[in-house]
Amino acid sequence: MSRAQATLFDGARLHKDDAVELTIQSLIAHAYAHDHWGLAWSGGKDSTAILTLLVHLIDTGKIRRPKTLTAFYADTRQELPPLAIAALRIMDQIRARGIAVQVVTAPLDKRFLVYILGRGVPPPNNNTLRWCMRQIKVDPMTAAIEQQLAAINGTFLMITGVRMGESAARDQRIALSCGKDGGECGQGWYQQVLPNAKGIRGRIATLAPLLHWRVCHVWEWLMFDAHAAGWATADIADAYGGDEAEEINARTGCVGCPLAQKEKALESILKAPKWGYLAPLQGLKPLYRELREPKHRLKKTGLNADGSLARAKNRQRMGPLTFEARLMGLDRVLGIQAACNVEAARLDRPRIDLLNAEEEARIRELIAAGTWPNGWEGDEPTGDVPLDMIYGDGSVQPLLVR
Ligand code: SF4
């Protein structure tokens, strides 16, 4: 009878120091083949752990410094404030060591709030229009790496903080994850989608040197070892539940993420008195849900302009946000931001920056220009207007009451 092949993880559970040792071996075995390394950094716990560990290992001579190392910080502009603030501090520490940091942001018109409130595309949800991760994370990262590749010869290694824990690492599974507890939105995509992206294919390899780490290893590293080595990692725990971070194991991503069932990370932050002034951010998630309601959106009638039957997929399809809904949303987001920042000034705490003046101006400009997403004219009825039902064979069931 055949027996499953023995693995590094058989027997006793890994101690954190052993996990670090395996990470070093993994870097020596796979990363040394590449002169140029990049690191996809979301500011969350896993990618910050690998970033600070990698730089620490270079600092202490445990691994060789590559010809170039660039930390690509994925800034969605919707980051949880404690993570965004910690990331800014860590960026300074990295740059002080002569390591490049590139802040990767989507082009103005593609940013989360500009796309929703300016162009009128409804907030994403789990069933439809899950456009956000690709648009505000993966595509900008792909463009940044493409640019980097153009400036170097040879292959490029992208290091990610993808982490699946021992049992999953044993099975060699990597989730293309945006929704797992404890994960960072987009990390799985960086690992699996980036290497095959157009313009990059064949020139980039990826490596996940923390794949085998358990969540307790990450916390031990961030809160004790990295902190003791001078890294500004202690505040990161606040986004995951403070002292109970390991148990809560919250998933992080954009504040108010419409795809997350619960906003565990924000709830955790607000439990800490020093972050209490961010309570108005709890208004974002309900706003995104409200904006998806039929009364705020246009709807296809099911007929073309000449009265012929529209294509099946277009019949009575719900679509973009009305201008009134966009202005209402803009007003609410600005109100939430202002409420946080008034308190920030009073308490001498860091301000938040969800929507800056350039983004607000662009949203107003797009609305003033009468911008609709492709395929929409703006003369369609809103989704709460009752319409005759049109079936696939073209038959029409008129409304019983007009
Ligand atoms: S965290 Fe949520 S809103 Fe942000 S990119 Fe991921 S799925 Fe989209």
Side-chain angles (χ1 to χ4, degrees):
M1 197 171 87
S2 68
R3 184 188 176 281
Q5 192 179 338
T7 75
L8 287 164
F9 305 106
D10 284 345
R13 300 203 86 176
L14 267 186
H15 184 271
K16 194 261 305 161
D17 292 342
D18 300 324
V20 171
E21 191 49 44
L22 281 176
T23 296
I24 296 172
Q25 287 175 25
S26 147
L27 287 163
I28 291 173
H30 302 289
Y32 280 14
H34 305 271
D35 285 339
H36 306 279
W37 301 356
L39 200 136
W41 179 31
S42 72
K45 67 182 190 313
D46 297 330
S47 58
T48 303
I50 183 58
L51 174 64
T52 49
L53 176 65
L54 187 68
V55 177
H56 176 75
L57 293 175
I58 291 172
D59 279 354
T60 52
K62 298 263 173 47
I63 60 167
R64 202 169 67 202
R65 187 170 176 149
K67 272 193 190 153
T68 65
L69 171 59
T70 309
F72 293 89
Y73 175 58
D75 182 4
T76 59
R77 305 272 305 113
Q78 310 297 309
E79 302 299 321
L80 284 159
L83 295 184
I85 293 160
L88 285 176
R89 293 192 187 128
I90 292 170
M91 263 182 232
D92 289 343
Q93 295 181 298
I94 299 220
R95 287 189 173 121
R97 288 166 163 86
I99 293 171
V101 178
Q102 192 173 331
V103 179
V104 179
T105 310
L108 187 58
D109 282 11
K110 296 276 180 97
R111 291 185 198 163
F112 192 74
L113 287 172
V114 179
Y115 202 61
I116 293 171
L117 302 176
R119 196 167 177 79
V121 175
N125 71 0
N126 271 310
N127 303 322
T128 56
L129 291 171
R130 196 172 163 158
W131 48 264
C132 50
M133 189 170 46
R134 181 176 282 280
Q135 181 166 310
I136 64 178
K137 293 193 167 181
V138 178
D139 288 351
M141 191 64 84
T142 308
I145 292 168
E146 216 179 319
Q147 219 176 19
Q148 178 94 351
L149 285 176
I152 58 168
N153 288 320
T155 57
F156 182 81
L157 179 72
M158 193 63 158
I159 296 170
T160 72
V162 171
R163 191 184 56 75
M164 294 301 292
E166 289 169 60
S167 56
R170 211 184 279 144
D171 295 345
Q172 302 274 300
R173 280 185 282 123
I174 301 172
L176 197 60
S177 151
C178 186
K180 274 182 77 72
D181 261 10
E184 294 169 23
C185 166
Q187 285 289 317
W189 280 71
Y190 294 147
Q191 188 75 14
Q192 292 205 335
V193 176
L194 267 185
N196 294 314
K198 211 170 141 227
I200 284 181
R201 203 172 297 134
R203 287 200 61 202
I204 166 174
T206 57
L207 182 66
L210 299 192
L211 197 66
H212 55 286
W213 280 39
R214 299 204 316 265
V215 68
C216 59
H217 300 147
V218 174
W219 288 123
E220 208 178 321
W221 170 257
L222 289 176
M223 288 167 83
F224 302 107
D225 308 53
H227 184 54
W231 290 101
T233 47
D235 274 358
I236 292 176
D238 287 341
Y240 294 87
D243 291 341
E244 293 154 29
E246 198 179 319
E247 284 75 34
I248 293 173
N249 197 20
R251 163 185 178 265
T252 56
C254 303
V255 60
C257 169
L259 276 76
Q261 293 227 314
K262 280 191 167 178
E263 197 147 33
K264 278 206 238 170
L266 182 59
E267 284 168 16
S268 303
I269 290 167
L270 296 179
K271 282 187 190 144
K274 65 178 175 180
W275 298 114
Y277 71 100
L278 299 177
L281 290 176
Q282 286 174 306
L284 287 174
K285 201 170 166 60
L287 170 65
Y288 298 147
R289 199 178 306 127
E290 189 181 330
L291 285 172
R292 292 192 60 86
E293 288 174 8
K295 66 178 179 198
H296 293 310
R297 299 169 61 186
L298 301 187
K299 183 178 170 180
K300 294 279 186 192
T301 60
L303 299 174
N304 295 318
D306 61 2
S308 61
L309 200 60
R311 285 193 301 160
K313 74 171 187 132
N314 270 335
R315 278 177 219 154
Q316 304 195 338
R317 175 163 68 93
M318 295 279 291
L321 303 176
T322 62
F323 294 134
E324 295 73 26
R326 296 185 219 177
L327 288 168
M328 176 274 285
L330 177 60
D331 196 48
R332 292 254 292 269
V333 172
L334 290 173
I336 288 169
Q337 175 163 271
C340 291
N341 286 340
V342 165
E343 278 297 278
R346 189 177 71 79
L347 300 166
D348 196 22
R349 298 287 297 145
R351 289 169 57 84
I352 60 158
D353 173 25
L354 278 178
L355 196 60
N356 61 30
E358 184 192 24
E359 290 158 346
E360 181 191 343
R362 183 62 181 151
I363 289 169
R364 294 193 191 280
E365 189 178 42
L366 287 164
I367 294 174
T371 311
W372 294 101
N374 294 341
W376 295 84
E377 304 298 331
D379 56 1
E380 297 86 352
T382 50
D384 57 349
V385 174
L387 297 172
D388 294 341
M389 179 63 80
I390 300 178
Y391 293 102
D393 62 359
S395 58
V396 177
Q397 181 182 316
L399 286 169
L400 291 176
V401 181
R402 285 199 186 267

